[in-house]
CSV table of all heavy atoms in Angstrom, one decimal:
chain,number,residue,atom,x,y,z
B,2,GLU,N,0.6,31.9,19.4
B,2,GLU,CA,0.1,32.1,18.0
B,2,GLU,C,-1.3,31.6,17.9
B,2,GLU,O,-1.8,30.6,18.4
B,2,GLU,CB,1.0,31.5,17.0
B,2,GLU,CG,0.6,31.6,15.6
B,2,GLU,CD,0.7,33.0,15.0
B,2,GLU,OE1,0.9,33.9,15.7
B,2,GLU,OE2,0.3,33.1,13.8
B,3,ASN,N,-2.1,32.4,17.2
B,3,ASN,CA,-3.5,32.1,16.8
B,3,ASN,C,-3.7,32.4,15.3
B,3,ASN,O,-3.3,33.3,14.7
B,3,ASN,CB,-4.3,33.0,17.6
B,3,ASN,CG,-5.8,32.5,17.6
B,3,ASN,OD1,-6.1,31.3,17.6
B,3,ASN,ND2,-6.7,33.4,17.6
B,4,VAL,N,-4.4,31.5,14.6
B,4,VAL,CA,-4.8,31.7,13.3
B,4,VAL,C,-6.4,31.7,13.2
B,4,VAL,O,-7.0,30.7,13.5
B,4,VAL,CB,-4.2,30.5,12.5
B,4,VAL,CG1,-4.7,30.7,11.0
B,4,VAL,CG2,-2.7,30.5,12.5
B,5,GLU,N,-6.8,32.8,12.7
B,5,GLU,CA,-8.3,33.0,12.7
B,5,GLU,C,-8.6,32.8,11.1
B,5,GLU,O,-8.1,33.4,10.3
B,5,GLU,CB,-8.7,34.4,13.2
B,5,GLU,CG,-8.4,34.7,14.6
B,5,GLU,CD,-9.6,34.0,15.5
B,5,GLU,OE1,-10.6,33.7,15.0
B,5,GLU,OE2,-9.2,33.9,16.7
B,6,GLN,N,-9.8,32.0,10.9
B,6,GLN,CA,-10.2,31.7,9.5
B,6,GLN,C,-11.6,32.1,9.3
B,6,GLN,O,-12.5,31.8,10.2
B,6,GLN,CB,-9.9,30.3,9.2
B,6,GLN,CG,-10.2,29.9,7.8
B,6,GLN,CD,-9.7,28.5,7.5
B,6,GLN,OE1,-9.1,27.9,8.2
B,6,GLN,NE2,-10.2,28.0,6.3
B,7,HIS,N,-11.9,32.9,8.3
B,7,HIS,CA,-13.2,33.3,8.0
B,7,HIS,C,-13.6,33.2,6.6
B,7,HIS,O,-12.6,33.4,5.7
B,7,HIS,CB,-13.4,34.7,8.4
B,7,HIS,CG,-13.2,34.9,9.9
B,7,HIS,ND1,-14.2,34.6,10.9
B,7,HIS,CD2,-12.3,35.5,10.6
B,7,HIS,CE1,-13.7,34.9,12.1
B,7,HIS,NE2,-12.5,35.4,12.0
B,20,VAL,N,-13.6,33.4,-1.8
B,20,VAL,CA,-12.4,34.0,-1.2
B,20,VAL,C,-12.5,33.6,0.3
B,20,VAL,O,-13.5,33.8,0.9
B,20,VAL,CB,-12.4,35.5,-1.3
B,20,VAL,CG1,-11.0,36.0,-0.5
B,20,VAL,CG2,-12.3,35.9,-2.7
B,21,ILE,N,-11.4,33.0,0.9
B,21,ILE,CA,-11.3,32.7,2.2
B,21,ILE,C,-10.2,33.4,2.9
B,21,ILE,O,-9.1,33.5,2.2
B,21,ILE,CB,-11.2,31.0,2.4
B,21,ILE,CG1,-12.3,30.3,1.7
B,21,ILE,CG2,-11.1,30.7,3.9
B,21,ILE,CD1,-12.1,28.8,1.6
B,22,LYS,N,-10.3,33.9,4.1
B,22,LYS,CA,-9.4,34.8,4.6
B,22,LYS,C,-8.8,34.3,6.0
B,22,LYS,O,-9.6,33.7,6.8
B,22,LYS,CB,-9.8,36.2,4.8
B,22,LYS,CG,-8.9,37.2,5.3
B,22,LYS,CD,-9.5,38.6,5.4
B,22,LYS,CE,-8.5,39.6,6.1
B,22,LYS,NZ,-9.1,41.0,6.1
B,23,CYS,N,-7.5,34.4,6.2
B,23,CYS,CA,-6.9,33.9,7.5
B,23,CYS,C,-6.1,35.1,8.0
B,23,CYS,O,-5.3,35.7,7.2
B,23,CYS,CB,-6.1,32.6,7.4
B,23,CYS,SG,-7.1,31.2,7.1
B,24,THR,N,-6.2,35.3,9.2
B,24,THR,CA,-5.2,36.2,10.1
B,24,THR,C,-4.3,35.6,10.9
B,24,THR,O,-4.7,34.6,11.5
B,24,THR,CB,-6.0,37.3,10.6
B,24,THR,OG1,-7.0,36.8,11.7
B,24,THR,CG2,-6.9,38.1,9.6
B,25,TYR,N,-3.2,36.1,11.2
B,25,TYR,CA,-2.3,35.5,12.1
B,25,TYR,C,-1.7,36.5,13.0
B,25,TYR,O,-1.8,37.7,12.6
B,25,TYR,CB,-1.2,34.7,11.5
B,25,TYR,CG,-0.3,35.5,10.3
B,25,TYR,CD1,0.9,36.0,10.8
B,25,TYR,CD2,-0.8,35.8,9.1
B,25,TYR,CE1,1.6,36.7,9.9
B,25,TYR,CE2,0.0,36.4,8.3
B,25,TYR,CZ,1.2,37.0,8.7
B,25,TYR,OH,2.0,37.7,7.9
B,26,SER,N,-1.2,36.1,14.1
B,26,SER,CA,-0.7,37.2,15.1
B,26,SER,C,0.8,37.3,15.1
B,26,SER,O,1.3,38.4,15.5
B,26,SER,CB,-1.3,36.9,16.5
B,26,SER,OG,-0.9,35.4,16.9
B,27,ASP,N,1.7,36.3,14.8
B,27,ASP,CA,3.1,36.3,14.9
B,27,ASP,C,3.6,36.9,13.7
B,27,ASP,O,3.6,36.2,12.6
B,27,ASP,CB,3.6,34.9,15.2
B,27,ASP,CG,5.1,35.1,15.5
B,27,ASP,OD1,5.9,36.2,15.2
B,27,ASP,OD2,5.8,34.0,15.7
B,30,SER,N,6.0,34.9,11.5
B,30,SER,CA,5.5,33.6,10.7
B,30,SER,C,6.0,33.8,9.2
B,30,SER,O,5.9,34.9,8.6
B,30,SER,CB,4.0,33.5,10.6
B,30,SER,OG,3.4,33.3,12.0
B,31,ASN,N,6.4,32.6,8.7
B,31,ASN,CA,7.1,32.7,7.4
B,31,ASN,C,6.5,31.7,6.3
B,31,ASN,O,7.1,31.7,5.2
B,31,ASN,CB,8.6,32.6,7.5
B,31,ASN,CG,9.1,31.3,8.2
B,31,ASN,OD1,8.2,30.3,8.4
B,31,ASN,ND2,10.3,31.2,8.5
B,32,TYR,N,5.6,30.9,6.6
B,32,TYR,CA,5.1,30.0,5.7
B,32,TYR,C,3.6,29.9,5.9
B,32,TYR,O,3.2,29.7,7.0
B,32,TYR,CB,5.9,28.6,5.8
B,32,TYR,CG,5.3,27.5,5.0
B,32,TYR,CD1,5.6,27.5,3.6
B,32,TYR,CD2,4.8,26.3,5.5
B,32,TYR,CE1,5.0,26.5,2.7
B,32,TYR,CE2,4.3,25.4,4.6
B,32,TYR,CZ,4.5,25.4,3.3
B,32,TYR,OH,4.0,24.4,2.6
B,33,PHE,N,2.9,29.8,4.7
B,33,PHE,CA,1.4,29.8,4.9
B,33,PHE,C,0.8,28.8,3.9
B,33,PHE,O,0.6,29.1,2.6
B,33,PHE,CB,0.8,31.2,4.6
B,33,PHE,CG,1.5,32.2,5.5
B,33,PHE,CD1,2.6,32.9,5.0
B,33,PHE,CD2,1.0,32.5,6.7
B,33,PHE,CE1,3.3,33.8,5.8
B,33,PHE,CE2,1.6,33.5,7.6
B,33,PHE,CZ,2.9,34.2,7.1
B,34,PRO,N,0.5,27.6,4.2
B,34,PRO,CA,-0.1,26.7,3.3
B,34,PRO,C,-1.6,26.6,3.4
B,34,PRO,O,-2.2,27.0,4.4
B,34,PRO,CB,0.5,25.3,3.8
B,34,PRO,CG,0.6,25.4,5.3
B,34,PRO,CD,0.9,26.9,5.4
B,35,TRP,N,-2.2,26.1,2.4
B,35,TRP,CA,-3.7,25.9,2.4
B,35,TRP,C,-3.8,24.4,1.9
B,35,TRP,O,-3.3,23.9,1.0
B,35,TRP,CB,-4.4,26.6,1.2
B,35,TRP,CG,-4.5,28.1,1.7
B,35,TRP,CD1,-3.6,29.2,1.3
B,35,TRP,CD2,-5.7,28.7,2.4
B,35,TRP,NE1,-4.1,30.3,1.9
B,35,TRP,CE2,-5.3,30.1,2.5
B,35,TRP,CE3,-6.8,28.3,2.9
B,35,TRP,CZ2,-6.1,31.0,3.1
B,35,TRP,CZ3,-7.7,29.2,3.5
B,35,TRP,CH2,-7.3,30.5,3.6
B,36,TYR,N,-4.7,23.7,2.8
B,36,TYR,CA,-5.1,22.4,2.6
B,36,TYR,C,-6.6,22.2,2.4
B,36,TYR,O,-7.4,23.0,2.8
B,36,TYR,CB,-4.7,21.5,3.8
B,36,TYR,CG,-3.2,21.1,3.9
B,36,TYR,CD1,-2.4,22.1,4.3
B,36,TYR,CD2,-2.7,19.8,3.6
B,36,TYR,CE1,-1.0,21.7,4.2
B,36,TYR,CE2,-1.4,19.5,3.7
B,36,TYR,CZ,-0.5,20.6,4.0
B,36,TYR,OH,0.9,20.2,4.1
B,48,ILE,N,-2.0,24.7,-2.2
B,48,ILE,CA,-1.2,25.8,-2.6
B,48,ILE,C,-0.5,26.3,-1.2
B,48,ILE,O,-1.0,26.2,-0.1
B,48,ILE,CB,-2.0,26.9,-3.3
B,48,ILE,CG1,-1.0,27.9,-4.1
B,48,ILE,CG2,-2.9,27.7,-2.3
B,48,ILE,CD1,-1.7,28.8,-4.9
B,49,ASP,N,0.7,26.9,-1.5
B,49,ASP,CA,1.3,27.5,-0.1
B,49,ASP,C,2.0,28.7,-0.7
B,49,ASP,O,2.3,29.0,-1.9
B,49,ASP,CB,2.3,26.5,0.4
B,49,ASP,CG,3.4,25.9,-0.5
B,49,ASP,OD1,3.5,26.5,-1.6
B,49,ASP,OD2,4.0,25.0,-0.2
B,50,ILE,N,2.5,29.5,0.3
B,50,ILE,CA,3.2,30.7,-0.1
B,50,ILE,C,4.2,31.1,1.1
B,50,ILE,O,3.9,30.8,2.3
B,50,ILE,CB,2.2,32.0,-0.2
B,50,ILE,CG1,3.0,33.1,-0.9
B,50,ILE,CG2,1.5,32.4,1.0
B,50,ILE,CD1,2.1,34.3,-1.4
B,51,ARG,N,5.3,31.6,0.8
B,51,ARG,CA,6.3,32.0,1.8
B,51,ARG,C,6.2,33.5,2.0
B,51,ARG,O,5.7,34.2,1.1
B,51,ARG,CB,7.8,31.5,1.3
B,51,ARG,CG,7.8,30.0,1.3
B,51,ARG,CD,9.3,29.6,1.4
B,51,ARG,NE,9.3,28.0,1.1
B,51,ARG,CZ,10.6,27.4,1.4
B,51,ARG,NH1,11.6,28.1,1.9
B,51,ARG,NH2,10.5,26.1,1.1
B,52,SER,N,6.8,33.9,3.2
B,52,SER,CA,6.7,35.2,3.5
B,52,SER,C,7.5,36.3,2.6
B,52,SER,O,7.1,37.6,2.7
B,52,SER,CB,7.3,35.5,4.9
B,52,SER,OG,8.5,35.2,5.0
B,54,VAL,N,7.1,36.4,-0.6
B,54,VAL,CA,6.2,36.6,-1.7
B,54,VAL,C,4.9,37.0,-1.5
B,54,VAL,O,4.4,36.7,-0.4
B,54,VAL,CB,6.1,35.1,-2.6
B,54,VAL,CG1,5.1,35.2,-3.7
B,54,VAL,CG2,7.4,34.5,-2.9
B,55,GLY,N,4.4,37.9,-2.4
B,55,GLY,CA,3.1,38.5,-2.2
B,55,GLY,C,1.9,37.8,-2.7
B,55,GLY,O,0.8,37.8,-2.2
B,56,GLU,N,2.1,37.1,-3.7
B,56,GLU,CA,1.0,36.3,-4.5
B,56,GLU,C,1.5,35.1,-5.2
B,56,GLU,O,2.8,35.1,-5.7
B,56,GLU,CB,0.3,37.2,-5.5
B,56,GLU,CG,-0.9,36.6,-6.1
B,56,GLU,CD,-1.7,37.6,-7.0
B,56,GLU,OE1,-1.2,38.8,-7.2
B,56,GLU,OE2,-2.6,37.2,-7.7
B,63,ALA,N,-5.5,30.8,-6.2
B,63,ALA,CA,-4.2,31.8,-5.9
B,63,ALA,C,-4.3,32.1,-4.4
B,63,ALA,O,-5.3,31.9,-3.7
B,63,ALA,CB,-4.5,33.1,-6.7
B,64,VAL,N,-3.1,32.5,-3.9
B,64,VAL,CA,-3.0,32.9,-2.4
B,64,VAL,C,-2.4,34.2,-2.5
B,64,VAL,O,-1.4,34.5,-3.3
B,64,VAL,CB,-2.3,31.8,-1.7
B,64,VAL,CG1,-0.9,31.5,-2.2
B,64,VAL,CG2,-2.2,32.3,-0.3
B,65,THR,N,-2.8,35.2,-1.7
B,65,THR,CA,-2.3,36.5,-1.5
B,65,THR,C,-1.9,36.6,-0.1
B,65,THR,O,-2.6,36.1,0.8
B,65,THR,CB,-3.2,37.6,-1.9
B,65,THR,OG1,-4.5,37.6,-1.2
B,65,THR,CG2,-3.7,37.5,-3.3
B,66,LEU,N,-0.8,37.3,0.2
B,66,LEU,CA,-0.2,37.5,1.6
B,66,LEU,C,-0.1,39.1,1.8
B,66,LEU,O,0.6,39.6,1.0
B,66,LEU,CB,1.1,36.9,1.7
B,66,LEU,CG,1.8,37.1,2.9
B,66,LEU,CD1,1.0,36.5,4.2
B,66,LEU,CD2,3.2,36.4,2.9
B,67,ASN,N,-0.5,39.5,2.9
B,67,ASN,CA,-0.3,41.0,3.3
B,67,ASN,C,0.3,40.9,4.6
B,67,ASN,O,-0.3,40.7,5.6
B,67,ASN,CB,-1.7,41.5,3.3
B,67,ASN,CG,-1.6,43.1,3.7
B,67,ASN,OD1,-0.6,43.4,4.3
B,67,ASN,ND2,-2.4,44.0,3.1
B,68,LYS,N,1.6,41.1,4.6
B,68,LYS,CA,2.4,40.9,5.9
B,68,LYS,C,2.2,41.9,6.8
B,68,LYS,O,2.3,41.9,8.0
B,68,LYS,CB,4.0,40.8,5.5
B,68,LYS,CG,4.4,39.4,4.9
B,68,LYS,CD,5.9,39.2,4.9
B,68,LYS,CE,6.5,40.3,3.9
B,68,LYS,NZ,8.0,40.1,3.9
B,69,THR,N,2.0,43.2,6.2
B,69,THR,CA,1.8,44.4,7.0
B,69,THR,C,0.5,44.1,7.9
B,69,THR,O,0.4,44.3,9.2
B,69,THR,CB,1.6,45.6,6.2
B,69,THR,OG1,2.8,45.7,5.5
B,69,THR,CG2,1.4,46.9,7.2
B,70,ALA,N,-0.6,43.7,7.3
B,70,ALA,CA,-1.9,43.5,7.9
B,70,ALA,C,-2.0,42.1,8.5
B,70,ALA,O,-2.9,41.7,9.3
B,70,ALA,CB,-3.1,43.5,7.0
B,71,LYS,N,-0.9,41.3,8.4
B,71,LYS,CA,-0.9,39.8,8.8
B,71,LYS,C,-2.1,39.1,8.6
B,71,LYS,O,-2.9,38.4,9.3
B,71,LYS,CB,-0.6,39.9,10.4
B,71,LYS,CG,0.8,40.4,10.7
B,71,LYS,CD,1.1,40.2,12.2
B,71,LYS,CE,0.4,41.2,12.9
B,71,LYS,NZ,0.7,41.0,14.4
B,72,HIS,N,-2.5,39.1,7.2
B,72,HIS,CA,-3.5,38.3,6.7
B,72,HIS,C,-3.2,37.5,5.3
B,72,HIS,O,-2.4,38.2,4.6
B,72,HIS,CB,-4.8,38.9,6.8
B,72,HIS,CG,-5.0,39.9,5.8
B,72,HIS,ND1,-5.3,39.8,4.5
B,72,HIS,CD2,-5.1,41.3,6.1
B,72,HIS,CE1,-5.4,41.0,4.0
B,72,HIS,NE2,-5.4,41.9,4.9
B,73,PHE,N,-3.7,36.4,5.1
B,73,PHE,CA,-3.5,35.8,3.7
B,73,PHE,C,-4.9,35.2,3.4
B,73,PHE,O,-5.7,34.8,4.1
B,73,PHE,CB,-2.3,34.8,3.7
B,73,PHE,CG,-2.5,33.7,4.8
B,73,PHE,CD1,-2.8,32.4,4.4
B,73,PHE,CD2,-2.3,33.9,6.2
B,73,PHE,CE1,-2.9,31.4,5.3
B,73,PHE,CE2,-2.4,33.0,7.1
B,73,PHE,CZ,-2.7,31.6,6.6
B,74,SER,N,-5.1,35.2,1.9
B,74,SER,CA,-6.3,34.7,1.5
B,74,SER,C,-6.2,33.6,0.4
B,74,SER,O,-5.2,33.7,-0.4
B,74,SER,CB,-7.2,35.9,1.0
B,74,SER,OG,-7.4,36.9,2.0
B,75,LEU,N,-7.1,32.8,0.3
B,75,LEU,CA,-7.2,31.9,-0.8
B,75,LEU,C,-8.4,32.2,-1.7
B,75,LEU,O,-9.5,32.7,-1.4
B,75,LEU,CB,-7.7,30.4,-0.3
B,75,LEU,CG,-7.8,29.4,-1.3
B,75,LEU,CD1,-6.4,28.9,-1.8
B,75,LEU,CD2,-8.4,28.2,-0.8
B,76,HIS,N,-8.1,32.3,-3.0
B,76,HIS,CA,-9.0,32.7,-4.1
B,76,HIS,C,-9.2,31.6,-5.0
B,76,HIS,O,-8.3,31.1,-5.6
B,76,HIS,CB,-8.5,34.1,-4.7
B,76,HIS,CG,-8.1,35.1,-4.0
B,76,HIS,ND1,-8.8,36.3,-3.9
B,76,HIS,CD2,-7.0,35.4,-3.1
B,76,HIS,CE1,-8.1,37.2,-3.0
B,76,HIS,NE2,-7.2,36.6,-2.6
B,89,PHE,N,-8.5,24.5,4.9
B,89,PHE,CA,-7.7,24.9,6.2
B,89,PHE,C,-6.5,25.7,5.8
B,89,PHE,O,-5.8,25.4,4.9
B,89,PHE,CB,-7.2,23.6,6.9
B,89,PHE,CG,-8.3,22.7,7.4
B,89,PHE,CD1,-8.9,21.8,6.7
B,89,PHE,CD2,-8.9,23.1,8.7
B,89,PHE,CE1,-9.7,20.9,7.3
B,89,PHE,CE2,-9.9,22.3,9.3
B,89,PHE,CZ,-10.3,21.1,8.5
B,90,CYS,N,-6.3,26.8,6.5
B,90,CYS,CA,-5.2,27.6,6.3
B,90,CYS,C,-4.2,27.2,7.5
B,90,CYS,O,-4.7,26.7,8.5
B,90,CYS,CB,-5.4,29.0,6.3
B,90,CYS,SG,-6.1,29.7,7.8
B,91,ALA,N,-3.0,27.6,7.4
B,91,ALA,CA,-2.1,27.3,8.4
B,91,ALA,C,-1.0,28.4,8.4
B,91,ALA,O,-0.8,28.9,7.3
B,91,ALA,CB,-1.5,26.0,8.5
B,92,ALA,N,-0.3,28.6,9.5
B,92,ALA,CA,0.9,29.6,9.5
B,92,ALA,C,1.9,28.9,10.3
B,92,ALA,O,1.7,28.0,11.2
B,92,ALA,CB,0.5,30.9,10.1
B,93,SER,N,3.2,29.2,10.2
B,93,SER,CA,4.3,28.6,10.9
B,93,SER,C,5.0,29.8,11.7
B,93,SER,O,5.8,30.5,11.2
B,93,SER,CB,5.3,28.1,10.0
B,93,SER,OG,5.9,29.0,9.1
B,101,LEU,N,3.4,24.1,12.2
B,101,LEU,CA,2.2,24.8,11.7
B,101,LEU,C,1.0,25.0,12.8
B,101,LEU,O,0.8,24.0,13.6
B,101,LEU,CB,1.6,23.9,10.6
B,101,LEU,CG,2.5,23.8,9.3
B,101,LEU,CD1,1.8,23.0,8.3
B,101,LEU,CD2,2.6,25.3,8.7
B,102,ILE,N,0.4,26.2,12.8
B,102,ILE,CA,-0.8,26.5,13.6
B,102,ILE,C,-1.8,26.6,12.7
B,102,ILE,O,-1.7,27.4,11.6
B,102,ILE,CB,-0.6,27.7,14.4
B,102,ILE,CG1,0.6,27.7,15.3
B,102,ILE,CG2,-1.8,27.9,15.3
B,102,ILE,CD1,0.6,26.6,16.3
B,103,TRP,N,-2.9,25.8,12.7
B,103,TRP,CA,-4.0,25.8,11.8
B,103,TRP,C,-5.2,26.6,12.1
B,103,TRP,O,-5.6,26.8,13.2
B,103,TRP,CB,-4.4,24.2,11.8
B,103,TRP,CG,-3.4,23.3,11.4
B,103,TRP,CD1,-2.4,22.9,12.1
B,103,TRP,CD2,-3.2,22.8,10.0
B,103,TRP,NE1,-1.5,22.1,11.3
B,103,TRP,CE2,-2.1,21.9,10.0
B,103,TRP,CE3,-4.0,22.9,8.8
B,103,TRP,CZ2,-1.6,21.3,8.9
B,103,TRP,CZ3,-3.4,22.2,7.6
B,103,TRP,CH2,-2.3,21.4,7.8
B,104,GLY,N,-6.0,27.0,11.1
B,104,GLY,CA,-7.2,27.7,11.2
B,104,GLY,C,-8.3,26.5,11.5
B,104,GLY,O,-7.9,25.5,11.3
Side-chain angles (χ1 to χ4, degrees):
Chain B
E2 173 71 351
N3 193 35
V4 177
E5 299 279 344
Q6 184 171 348
H7 298 281
V20 181
I21 303 170
K22 183 177 175 179
C23 288
T24 58
Y25 59 97
S26 54
D27 182 357
S30 297
N31 57 12
Y32 176 66
F33 308 90
W35 286 90
Y36 281 73
I48 196 167
D49 57 10
I50 193 168
R51 296 203 188 189
S52 57
V54 176
E56 183 176 4
V64 56
T65 57
L66 172 65
N67 184 328
K68 287 192 295 182
T69 303
K71 291 189 284 187
H72 67 72
F73 56 109
S74 299
L75 177 72
H76 305 255
F89 293 96
C90 66
S93 63
L101 294 178
I102 304 296
W103 298 77

